[in-house]
Amino acid sequence: MASSSNKFHYHYDPNNDSMNQFFQEQFNNQFEAAEEEISEEPSTRIYIDRQREEGHERLWNDYFSDNPTYTTRQFRRRFRMNKSLFLRIVNRLSEEVPYFKPKKDATFRNGFSPLQQCTAAIRLLAYGIGADSVDEYLRISESTSRKCLEHFDVGIVDLFGTEYLRRPTQADLQRLLFYGELRGFPGMVGSIDCMHWKWKNCPTAWKGMYSRGTGKPTIVLEAVASQDLWIWHAFFGAPGTCNDLNVLDQSPVFNDIIYGRAPEVTYYVNGNEYNLAYYLTDGIYPEWATFVKSIPQPQHPKHRLFAEKQEGARKDVERAFGVLQSRFAMIKNPSLLWSKGKIAYIMRACLILHNMIVEDERD
């Protein structure tokens, strides 16, 4: 083992010029190398000329020209609505929403047309696909597709929400009562139930509040639907841990009755006059006069007949949920968004579009 006296010890000598010169050269080399690295231009995003004019021309020739490539039936299947209704939506958005108005960029080149923007939003809602999936056909980038979807949802809710997501008017109520009486339920104005929408990217801090049973976070939609699948009431946003009773406690479904704004209703059952309309429900709802439930384990033939008719008519809201999810796969698949506000806008926009399609195809 070597002794400590054999170790090398360096003592700095300030009068040693050669050593000072060596350290100064090393410092200058390192400083110059750092300057060269700093002086390099930062990397920029690659610009892709997508030829958006070609995307608009292809879309126009495929669906909107005088002699389109695809038929009206194919348009209805891919856009989830008739062409006349889609053009009505596009025209209204392009006139009243600044984002969808035709514009030119700094080089006086035409921007994306309202047809391209609305088609991108409808495809994302209808197919539930990624935002960059419309790039190859419509020539719209991923970030622009997301913006189109956000502005489309807000525009639909602001422009059409008052008309197509409303409480029944007196004329609507008379029609609902007429069809309810034809089905053997005088005074019935629809059926009520809840649907859960999975929230895949729910914040971790909220998962315990939105998860129940399977452990998957969900957001609850409460709706009232009639036989023609029109959704008259929608309350969305309750955490997935809530059951139908908890959602009912938060819901404004009976606000009109509480504040005396409900339309007057008069009907007769077995010679008795009633003035309060009701909904068909399943067994979890309370024993209120506004709810008519089935008879569990009926024994009498009349009770079995009533249970059969009630359970058949109560499926209207279940059918409405099924049609809504089949039309707009985005609300059928787990939501990939982080913001609950954006999720709510998507749900409301889909409900409004659903009612617009029902009205357009009702006859």
Side-chain angles (χ1 to χ4, degrees):
M1 181 175 179
S3 63
S4 59
S5 59
N6 294 332
K7 292 184 179 179
F8 174 77
H9 295 278
Y10 169 73
H11 299 281
Y12 173 71
D13 185 3
N15 298 323
N16 191 343
D17 295 337
S18 60
M19 187 63 65
N20 292 338
Q21 183 179 0
F22 172 77
F23 280 113
Q24 187 65 36
E25 291 178 356
Q26 294 295 326
F27 175 78
N28 293 337
N29 294 336
Q30 295 293 334
F31 184 77
E32 291 175 0
E35 278 188 338
E36 292 179 358
E37 292 180 1
I38 296 175
S39 62
E40 291 181 357
E41 295 183 359
S43 58
T44 58
R45 186 175 61 179
I46 299 176
Y47 171 72
I48 300 177
D49 186 6
R50 288 180 166 80
Q51 300 295 330
R52 54 178 175 265
E53 296 86 357
E54 295 181 3
H56 170 74
E57 184 177 358
R58 183 187 303 109
L59 177 65
W60 178 267
N61 293 331
D62 287 345
Y63 296 104
F64 302 101
S65 64
D66 295 335
N67 187 21
T69 304
Y70 299 103
T71 62
T72 304
R73 184 176 180 180
Q74 290 173 313
F75 182 95
R76 169 64 180 80
R77 187 177 72 247
R78 295 172 182 175
F79 286 76
R80 303 301 195 257
M81 64 186 73
N82 292 325
K83 186 185 300 185
S84 58
L85 176 59
F86 179 76
L87 292 177
R88 174 191 166 196
I89 294 173
V90 172
N91 293 334
R92 186 84 181 271
L93 290 175
S94 61
E95 291 174 359
E96 303 186 32
V97 179
Y99 184 83
F100 292 98
K101 293 182 178 180
K103 317 177 187 62
K104 294 183 181 294
D105 59 12
T107 61
F108 299 99
R109 181 182 175 187
N110 290 328
F112 294 107
S113 66
L115 284 177
Q116 286 175 285
Q117 294 170 324
C118 293
T119 301
I122 285 292
R123 290 294 174 88
L124 296 181
L125 291 175
Y127 293 103
I129 49 182
D132 60 345
S133 58
V134 298
D135 188 3
E136 296 177 345
Y137 180 68
L138 297 174
R139 301 298 184 181
I140 298 181
S141 66
E142 179 182 2
S143 59
T144 307
S145 298
R146 286 198 299 265
K147 290 181 181 178
C148 291
L149 178 61
E150 294 177 9
H151 288 277
F152 182 84
D153 294 335
V154 175
I156 290 294
V157 173
D158 293 343
L159 297 180
F160 301 100
T162 305
E163 180 180 0
Y164 288 98
L165 202 57
R166 68 180 189 273
R167 298 301 182 94
T169 61
Q170 191 65 38
D172 297 330
L173 198 57
Q174 293 300 323
R175 188 177 69 254
L176 293 175
L177 293 174
F178 173 75
Y179 285 110
E181 188 170 0
L182 287 180
R183 304 173 71 186
F185 291 94
M188 186 264 291
V189 293
S191 53
I192 184 171
D193 205 353
C194 293
M195 180 191 81
H196 289 253
W197 184 13
K198 290 183 180 180
W199 189 5
K200 181 178 180 181
N201 288 336
C202 174
T204 304
W206 293 0
K207 283 189 175 180
M209 181 172 57
Y210 284 84
S211 303
R212 183 182 68 172
T214 60
K216 303 294 183 180
T218 59
I219 307 178
V220 183
L221 167 68
E222 180 193 66
V224 173
S226 55
Q227 184 184 12
D228 59 357
L229 304 185
W230 184 291
I231 297 176
W232 294 103
H233 157 78
F235 173 68
F236 179 75
T241 51
C242 297
N243 58 19
D244 294 7
L245 288 178
N246 305 135
V247 176
L248 181 64
D249 292 338
Q250 309 172 41
S251 172
V253 63
F254 293 126
N255 282 1
D256 289 349
I257 298 177
I258 295 173
Y259 297 110
R261 299 192 301 261
E264 296 182 1
V265 177
T266 302
Y267 61 94
Y268 296 88
V269 177
N270 295 330
N272 299 321
E273 181 180 349
Y274 298 90
N275 55 11
L276 188 62
Y278 58 86
Y279 303 112
L280 301 182
T281 64
D282 54 16
I284 192 175
Y285 283 86
E287 299 287 346
W288 292 355
T290 52
F291 294 142
V292 172
K293 302 190 292 185
S294 179
I295 300 176
Q297 298 179 355
Q299 303 297 327
H300 196 274
K302 289 185 178 181
H303 294 172
R304 288 196 294 268
L305 178 61
F306 175 82
E308 179 183 351
K309 296 294 183 180
Q310 194 274 350
E311 293 170 5
R314 183 174 57 83
K315 295 301 181 183
D316 292 342
V317 66
E318 301 289 351
R319 290 171 49 234
F321 289 150
V323 173
L324 181 68
Q325 291 179 330
S326 64
R327 280 178 175 160
F328 305 106
M330 177 169 283
I331 62 177
K332 181 181 180 181
N333 302 330
S335 175
L336 302 179
L337 299 177
W338 295 86
S339 172
K340 186 179 177 181
K342 293 181 180 180
I343 296 175
Y345 262 110
I346 290 176
M347 176 59 75
R348 289 179 63 86
C350 290
L351 292 170
I352 294 170
L353 292 173
H354 169 82
N355 285 345
M356 296 177 73
I357 297 171
V358 170
E359 182 192 56
D360 184 61
E361 301 176 354
R362 177 181 291 162
D363 298 333

